[in-house]
Amino acid sequence: MATATMLFSCYSTPAARSPLLRTSSPSSSSLGFATSQLAGLSLGLSADATPTPTPTPAAAARLHPIVARRVCPFTNKKTNRANNVSFSNHKTKKQQFVNLQYKKLWWEAGKRFVKLRLSTKALKTIEKHGLDAVAKKAGIDLNKK
């Protein structure tokens, strides 16, 4: 009975109950967890624990840069999802992107050049109908460009 009391008494100390705390008591060193590699770390939640900070919008913008979408503003053409089909008829997904080009076009009403990112189909349409007509139909304000 005395040995059972001694066993329970060594587990009653806080250092003996938690193997993560480094102690210098002889009872914990005899159990073999006085040299824990996790000494000094608190893994549980406590009342004085502070929550992890969330990134600010400015920090989030630095992590993920803003990328222009692959959409033509004049014709509203977008990326198409399709399949690559091999000889064995094995299908894998692929994307067919719009042929977007940066182009400086002369805007007659504004008497200046306008730099636009548009598809080659929109470029042919502008050559046929004119920049003002195509921009008006698409609802694009060329004053901002």
Side-chain angles (χ1 to χ4, degrees), residues 26-139:
S27 63
S28 64
S29 64
S30 66
L31 293 176
F33 42 72
T35 59
S36 173
Q37 293 179 351
L38 299 174
L41 296 176
S42 61
L43 300 176
L45 294 175
S46 62
D48 61 336
T50 58
T52 58
T54 57
T56 60
R62 281 181 282 171
L63 296 176
H64 303 288
I66 297 172
V67 179
R69 292 179 58 209
R70 291 181 172 135
V71 176
C72 176
F74 291 95
T75 60
N76 206 22
K77 284 182 173 277
K78 297 181 181 105
T79 301
N80 185 38
R81 296 284 307 227
N83 285 322
N84 264 337
V85 183
S86 68
F87 179 76
S88 64
N89 206 26
H90 179 74
K91 296 174 180 73
T92 56
K93 295 288 185 186
K94 70 173 183 178
Q95 288 185 324
Q96 296 171 337
F97 297 116
V98 181
N99 188 7
L100 292 175
Q101 305 292 326
Y102 285 100
K103 203 72 175 155
K104 279 190 350 185
L105 298 172
W106 178 255
W107 180 34
E108 192 64 39
K111 302 291 184 203
R112 64 181 176 95
F113 281 97
V114 181
K115 188 173 183 181
L116 300 169
R117 185 178 191 218
L118 65 160
S119 65
T120 51
K121 173 71 176 177
L123 190 60
K124 288 174 72 173
T125 307
I126 288 170
E127 288 175 1
K128 183 176 182 180
H129 298 292
L131 182 59
D132 281 327
V134 176
K136 184 177 179 183
K137 186 176 179 183

